[in-house]
Amino acid sequence: MSAAESQAVLAPLTESAIFLVATVDPGSEDALREVLTDVSGLTRSIGFRFPDGGLTCVVGIGSDLWGRTFGQPRPPGLHAFREVIGPRHTAVATPGDLLFHIRATRFDLCFELAERLTDRLLDFAQVVDEVHGFRSFDQRDLLGFVDGTENPAGPALLDAVVISEEDPRFAGGSYVVVQKYLHDLAGWDALPVAEQELRIGRSKLSDIEMPDDLKPANSHVALNTLVGDDGKQRQIVRYNMPFGRVGAREFGTYFIGYARDPQVIEQMLTNMFVGNPPGTYDRILDFSRPVTGNLFFVPSADFIDDPPGALTTVSTQEAAEPVGLAVAPPASRSAEEDGSLGIGSLREGRV
Amino acid sequence: MNHLLREHAPISAAGWQLLDEEARQRATPALAARRLVDFSGPHGWEYSATNLGRTRRTAATPVEGVTGLQRVSLSLVELRADFEVSRAELRDADRGAGDTDLASLDRAAHQLAVAENVAVFHGWKGVIAGISEASPHAKGKPGAAADGYPRLAAQAVEQLLGTGVGGPYGLALGREQYRVVVETSEHGGYPLLEHLGKILGGPIVWAPGVDGAVVLSLRGGDFVFECGQDLSIGYDSHDAEVVRLYLEETFSFHVATPEAAVALTTS
């Protein structure tokens, strides 16, 4: 199997972004499939009006929607977002079947695409969360700290995010977790900068990580540094964006983290909310609380452009491999699964 | 591990790749039915029957005042062709030899493909009703002379149109008929193959196992090939010298619209 093209997950940081999370009505899976195939075309035609705008759109699919629309095989790491309940703070799980992560250097491009997409979804999907993110001074969040410094760079970037030979069925895919955090900015700003720096684990002005002997175990940086069994750091890629409404005194950070293995992000959340060891929860959470939480699978670009056909099974349950005569025909299997030669139909113009 | 027991064979991953690729290459050109009829599946090894939506009334019911119907379905068939591969040849292949002797596999792959074609186009007595035996149209006869083909094809297309069966139409040609068509150019040098293509609007397919020729509609829904386990190589046994393997597939085939094909048979 040749390497599948991933969606534009690894786009460079942009000035603007729109995050749309939507739920999709049961029974509208066919209509949805059609919209999905149009996403790349829409993105291209809108992006073409301003070629330097770098307009991209990444589509994520939630666990329940996957089961209803694509059935088996399903991405092994995909499940509903698991709530993480800590001693003081909780990473909540909220509804969401579909994620659109729209990015561009200009807000008009993002807005146009978001509008077109929601227009197509109008009859069968509801946008349950919409965030318009902007890039703030030298990538700072509204707490005043630089966000995203720890993103890997170069080949490590691809390595952290894109599934490859470990699962050829989903090669080119990725997982993404999103959480919308709202900040208690008044409370945070009342803290002395030194105290803020201890909670984050890096210096505010110069964005330098504290040495290990000074960095508290319950700082944000310490809890989000994961080392695997092989001694290598396990990384994710964040494309967080600040957002806000000044009149409503709403200030926030939209957390969006992509990873090849969702467990890495889930472990980070456990570290932040429960603590590692338990109790040392992330002290940033005292001033920043999540109000949404979702996990999505991000299929390869090829998958989105040409999603597998309708399920032939009648039930929508996430069935194990059906056995025997008692079931409707299961969806077609791939050659890797059944050990066959994978010849299938030879009719021209058919799959 | 599934029922093919491939993991039990003394064959390296590279060896399996070689065998699968060889079988695929040998079988694909001959799998004519799959170029012309609707294909559904693969649905897996455990898939046993095609739903026809039909029932038959049972003679009696356990209790009076209750009626009974029994569902009628079409059972899948298993086709299998055994072959052997020399272990010495496999070892050489692992060393990088590029000319591995897989004649036995090649034969099996071809035979299985031919069996599939025969079952689909001419039927399998008592098991599968084939396209040509189901067709109610008068059977034409392709003569030995090539110049009769365009007229026969045009007649067949007209017959199909006359019964309301739209196109495009495909043509399955037996080996001899295919050779005749390909080697002939008509008066003026125009290749017969292209002339036929213009009449039919669909593919002209080399179909080993077909007796004569079959013209059939490709509009869809008329001929349904349902595949359970697609062509696969499985493991049977081995000794110090050879590995005994087999090629296998399961499928059912049924004709939903008998009048959507016209057979031109030699016999």
Side-chain angles (χ1 to χ4, degrees):
Chain A
M1 188 175 219
S2 60
E5 187 94 3
S6 57
Q7 295 188 57
V9 170
L10 299 175
L13 271 177
T14 54
E15 268 72 32
S16 303
I18 291 182
F19 307 93
L20 293 179
V21 173
T23 55
V24 177
D25 297 340
S28 51
E29 290 75 21
D30 288 336
L32 171 71
R33 215 176 273 117
E34 238 167 68
V35 175
L36 290 183
T37 58
D38 289 347
V39 170
S40 69
L42 271 176
T43 309
R44 248 193 324 274
S45 39
I46 295 169
F48 195 71
R49 296 163 67 177
F50 196 88
D52 296 338
L55 177 67
T56 59
C57 176
V58 174
V59 181
I61 295 170
S63 172
D64 179 57
L65 182 65
W66 184 282
R68 275 154 43 194
T69 313
F70 306 117
Q72 298 289 346
R74 59 183 285 122
L78 182 60
H79 49 77
F81 182 82
R82 292 184 186 134
E83 209 162 53
V84 183
I85 301 170
R88 294 279 296 274
H89 307 289
T90 298
V92 294
T94 50
D97 288 326
L98 209 51
L99 168 76
F100 293 105
H101 180 197
I102 303 170
R103 284 173 279 179
T105 56
R106 298 161 54 121
F107 186 70
D108 54 356
L109 287 172
C110 297
F111 192 82
E112 175 77 8
L113 181 55
E115 197 220 322
R116 298 272 172 184
L117 285 172
T118 43
D119 189 49
R120 295 289 308 274
L121 294 169
L122 219 51
D123 290 337
F124 58 90
Q126 293 75 39
V127 174
V128 290
D129 188 42
E130 171 175 355
V131 169
H132 296 183
F134 61 91
R135 178 154 136 196
S136 186
F137 311 96
D138 38 272
Q139 272 111 302
R140 284 175 196 272
D141 55 29
L142 297 183
L143 301 176
F145 281 77
V146 177
D147 194 10
T149 311
E150 282 305 313
N151 272 353
L157 192 64
L158 197 71
D159 202 48
V161 170
V162 182
I163 298 165
S164 85
E165 68 271 11
E166 75 266 32
D167 193 346
R169 298 170 304 172
F170 297 107
S174 187
Y175 294 89
V176 61
V177 169
V178 295
Q179 285 179 297
K180 179 181 181 176
Y181 283 89
L182 296 181
H183 305 318
D184 167 15
L185 217 51
W188 177 256
D189 285 340
L191 290 182
V193 169
E195 169 65 20
Q196 291 178 357
E197 289 180 337
L198 284 173
R199 286 176 187 251
I200 299 279
R202 38 174 78 250
S203 59
K204 192 169 185 178
L205 181 63
S206 57
D207 185 36
I208 300 297
E209 192 173 327
M210 290 180 182
D212 284 347
D213 49 341
L214 293 181
K215 184 169 52 192
N218 58 11
S219 68
H220 185 64
V221 169
L223 289 168
N224 281 294
T225 305
L226 291 195
V227 178
D229 296 335
D230 54 1
K232 276 199 275 194
Q233 200 178 335
R234 305 192 68 191
Q235 289 184 306
I236 68 169
V237 176
R238 300 171 180 84
Y239 290 106
N240 298 0
M241 280 275 185
F243 64 89
R245 290 186 299 152
V246 289
R249 307 312 290 162
E250 179 184 284
F251 306 98
T253 298
Y254 199 83
F255 165 79
I256 179 163
Y258 288 93
R260 181 176 187 158
D261 177 357
Q263 278 181 5
V264 180
I265 302 181
E266 284 161 359
Q267 185 61 51
M268 286 177 177
L269 291 178
T270 307
N271 287 358
M272 281 174 66
F273 285 82
V274 179
N276 181 25
T280 56
Y281 72 88
D282 191 335
R283 289 306 191 264
I284 209 178
L285 295 175
D286 294 337
F287 298 91
S288 179
R289 69 191 165 89
V291 292
T292 71
N294 301 94
L295 168 67
F296 301 96
F297 179 67
V298 178
S300 69
D302 305 337
F303 186 100
I304 292 293
D305 287 346
D306 185 12
L311 280 185
T312 41
T313 35
V314 182
S315 82
T316 58
Q317 70 201 21
E318 296 170 7
E321 279 296 73
V323 183
L325 297 176
V327 291
S332 299
R333 297 156 190 230
S334 65
E336 296 96 276
E337 272 180 280
D338 66 4
S340 81
L341 306 176
I343 294 177
S345 175
L346 298 172
R347 268 178 81 162
E348 279 168 36
R350 304 237 173 161
V351 187
Chain B
M1 183 165 59
N2 60 21
H3 73 285
L4 297 168
L5 305 179
R6 288 161 66 104
E7 287 81 351
H8 280 313
I11 297 177
S12 64
W16 272 121
Q17 214 176 348
L18 173 77
L19 294 175
D20 282 349
E21 187 51 39
E22 178 76 10
R24 202 177 293 124
Q25 279 184 12
R26 290 290 168 158
T28 306
L31 289 168
R34 298 185 185 212
R35 294 176 204 280
L36 295 169
V37 302
D38 294 350
F39 183 96
S40 148
H43 298 298
W45 173 246
E46 63 278 8
Y47 188 67
S48 284
T50 300
N51 179 20
L52 297 175
R54 300 283 182 179
T55 57
R56 99 179 121 235
R57 190 168 287 278
T58 56
T61 48
V63 176
E64 220 174 297
V66 176
T67 57
L69 293 175
Q70 187 177 27
R71 296 288 177 95
V72 179
S73 60
L74 184 63
S75 297
L76 266 64
V77 294
E78 298 180 10
L79 273 186
R80 168 168 162 154
D82 294 304
F83 64 95
E84 290 182 354
V85 182
S86 148
R87 294 187 66 182
E89 284 291 318
L90 286 170
R91 279 193 292 272
D92 284 352
D94 281 340
R95 293 184 189 103
D99 55 350
T100 317
D101 175 16
L102 299 171
S104 168
L105 163 59
D106 297 347
R107 206 164 32 246
H110 186 73
Q111 277 175 343
L112 209 67
V114 169
E116 187 182 297
N117 290 345
V118 173
V120 167
F121 288 105
H122 299 302
W124 177 345
K125 204 168 167 21
V127 180
I128 285 174
I131 294 174
S132 75
E133 44 176 4
S135 167
H137 300 292
K139 293 181 174 40
K141 245 188 194 216
D147 51 5
Y149 276 80
R151 195 174 47 81
L152 283 170
Q155 274 174 0
V157 167
E158 197 280 331
Q159 260 180 311
L160 293 173
L161 284 171
T163 44
V165 176
Y169 310 97
L171 175 63
L173 290 169
R175 296 183 65 164
E176 175 59 20
Q177 289 72 26
Y178 189 85
R179 186 186 59 75
V180 169
V181 166
V182 170
E183 74 184 6
T184 307
S185 21
E186 292 174 286
H187 186 65
Y190 195 69
L192 179 55
L193 194 64
E194 293 188 19
H195 187 182
L196 287 174
K198 288 231 162 35
I199 296 172
L200 298 161
I204 296 165
V205 175
W206 181 67
V210 166
D211 173 25
V214 178
V215 177
L216 69 166
S217 171
L218 299 185
R219 63 180 178 171
D222 301 320
F223 309 103
V224 185
F225 183 97
E226 212 174 58
C227 180
Q229 165 86 43
D230 204 354
L231 266 184
S232 312
I233 302 180
Y235 164 74
D236 182 80
S237 60
H238 71 273
D239 56 30
E241 303 296 322
V242 297
V243 190
R244 283 174 285 276
L245 304 168
Y246 60 91
L247 261 166
E248 179 183 65
E249 66 170 330
T250 71
F251 68 91
S252 74
F253 175 73
H254 71 279
V255 177
T257 318
E259 59 273 22
V262 175
L264 311 166
T265 51
T266 56
S267 47

